Amino acid sequence: MKPIIFLLSDQKELAEAITKECGYERGDLTIHLFPDEEICVRINSSVKNRRVILLLSLDKPNDKLSSLLFVAATLRELGAQEIGLIAPYLAYMRQDKQFNPGEGISAKYFASFLSNTVDSLVTIDPHLHRFHALNEIYTIPATVLHASEAIANWIKQHVENPLLIGPDQESQQWVTDIAQRIGAPLTVLEKQRTGDHSVSVSIPHIAQYKNHTPILIDDIISTARTMIETVKQVNTILKQPPICIGVHALFVGDAYEALLKAGVDKVVTCNTIRHPSNAIDINGIIAQWLISSAP
Ligand code: R5P
């Protein structure tokens, strides 16, 4: 029997892509919030001996964790055979070392929570920096899918003569992969973050690319300070305003508006997190992976 999927966040199109392309059944559940804000989960579909897939992108993760915990526990109580989580955005990956005395390594604790709650995980381009693979911290099978082909295709279709720019060393992995796919030149800058909203980036040596369209590529856009500082630097050297591409559109507070006003041509993201800038579809990547990995 095919798995049954439950949607726990606003990834409606992803749920539709999976039901349509993989023929999975769509499950129904309700989460009731009591006046004291305790929650009560009710699974309205039969899950006994079924493989279950939960769809939940983990931006703004803290409130989502209790729902995930209670949904997974209820599914097990009702006899679900196996619970997989598809989280197009995986949170807490940037807290991958002890940055200050007295702090912990949240990436590890989050991995431990998810590994104890579900049986497998699929995600798109998690922020793998000091950890090089999810299995260094996850004890369940954890699959990483990539948006680079979809981003490369978008660039091929929309931009002539692109020059790819990564704002920091972590971005090198994505920028290099995409540049190779489209045969574009690339440069990667040095970034220094001195606070949540405070970033500086090195001067890009790109004066020889006067006739190129600069494309800034990063995995996560959160406060957008990284992108904004990079845009400022690029605009001092090249005439053509840059296109900013992010995989995960976190955009906290007024970050999106601030980036749009920073002197960009446009801002484009993948739909791992629902946002007005979404223009690159990753739902097909997940659906195709489910088809190819079906037992
Ligand atoms: C960190 O290294 C990530 O790759 C991003 O560069 C970072 O999360 C962007 O954050 P912000 O938008 O707050 O500058």
Side-chain angles (χ1 to χ4, degrees):
M1 199 186 265
K2 297 239 182 190
I4 179 167
I5 58 170
F6 291 90
L7 181 60
L8 299 182
S9 57
D10 54 4
Q11 251 51 34
K12 199 162 56 71
E13 292 81 8
L14 175 58
E16 280 161 10
I18 294 174
T19 43
K20 193 166 156 225
E21 291 177 39
C22 312
Y24 290 7
E25 186 188 331
R26 183 82 180 265
D28 181 53
L29 60 74
T30 43
I31 298 182
H32 176 69
L33 191 66
F34 287 110
D36 62 359
E37 297 197 13
E38 289 186 1
I39 61 173
C40 174
V41 171
R42 185 181 307 130
I43 308 290
N44 304 315
S45 310
S46 170
V47 294
K48 195 164 175 53
N49 299 325
R50 303 274 315 260
R51 281 191 298 136
V52 172
I53 291 178
L54 304 177
L55 301 185
L56 176 64
S57 209
L58 287 166
D59 52 306
K60 300 198 181 93
N62 301 338
D63 288 346
K64 292 176 175 171
L65 298 189
S66 47
S67 302
L68 178 61
L69 177 69
F70 287 112
V71 167
T74 308
L75 288 166
R76 290 197 200 282
E77 187 85 40
L78 298 175
Q81 184 192 80
E82 195 184 301
I83 303 171
L85 173 65
I86 297 179
Y89 173 68
L90 183 61
Y92 280 106
M93 290 300 295
R94 286 168 296 169
Q95 293 189 45
D96 57 0
K97 75 166 196 176
Q98 189 187 41
F99 288 94
N100 295 295
E103 294 177 354
I105 305 174
S106 305
K108 281 201 316 193
Y109 317 142
F110 192 69
S112 162
F113 167 77
L114 285 189
S115 298
N116 287 317
T117 304
V118 296
D119 300 313
S120 63
L121 168 70
V122 179
T123 190
I124 303 271
D125 288 319
H127 187 81
L128 288 168
H129 178 205
R130 292 177 184 87
F131 296 116
H132 299 108
L134 288 182
N135 66 12
E136 290 174 35
I137 47 176
Y138 282 79
T139 54
I140 50 174
T143 301
V144 171
L145 303 176
H146 298 285
S148 42
E149 188 182 347
I151 294 174
N153 287 340
W154 187 90
I155 296 172
K156 257 195 253 170
Q157 284 161 20
H158 295 88
V159 187
E160 271 181 33
N161 229 7
L163 161 67
L164 306 195
I165 301 173
D168 55 23
Q169 288 306 312
E170 290 107 294
S171 66
Q172 173 119 33
Q173 49 188 310
W174 303 287
V175 178
T176 306
D177 185 4
I178 295 164
Q180 279 168 357
R181 287 172 189 272
I182 57 177
L186 76 110
T187 185
V188 174
L189 312 184
E190 299 282 338
K191 175 172 86 178
Q192 269 214 316
R193 183 177 283 279
T194 43
D196 288 345
H197 296 263
S198 163
V199 161
S200 62
V201 293
S202 60
I203 298 167
H205 300 287
I206 50 175
Q208 74 271 35
Y209 296 111
K210 286 231 176 317
N211 297 320
H212 285 66
T213 304
I215 305 189
L216 317 189
I217 302 183
D218 207 354
D219 59 338
I220 297 170
I221 311 179
S222 177
T223 65
R225 294 318 306 181
T226 302
M227 280 291 185
I228 290 169
E229 291 309 311
T230 312
V231 169
K232 279 189 199 160
Q233 292 289 4
V234 170
N235 281 346
T236 60
I237 301 167
L238 300 182
K239 274 200 312 283
Q240 196 149 343
I243 296 171
C244 297
I245 299 184
V247 179
H248 306 294
L250 286 180
F251 287 114
V252 300
D254 65 354
Y256 183 48
E257 292 69 26
L259 181 55
L260 288 176
K261 283 190 211 145
V264 300
D265 174 8
K266 53 171 85 72
V267 178
V268 169
T269 60
C270 301
N271 54 351
T272 57
I273 298 167
R274 183 182 281 271
H275 188 266
S277 60
N278 290 167
I280 302 173
D281 182 39
I282 53 81
N283 294 339
I285 298 171
I286 295 174
Q288 281 312 310
W289 180 83
L290 287 170
I291 292 169
S292 65
S293 64

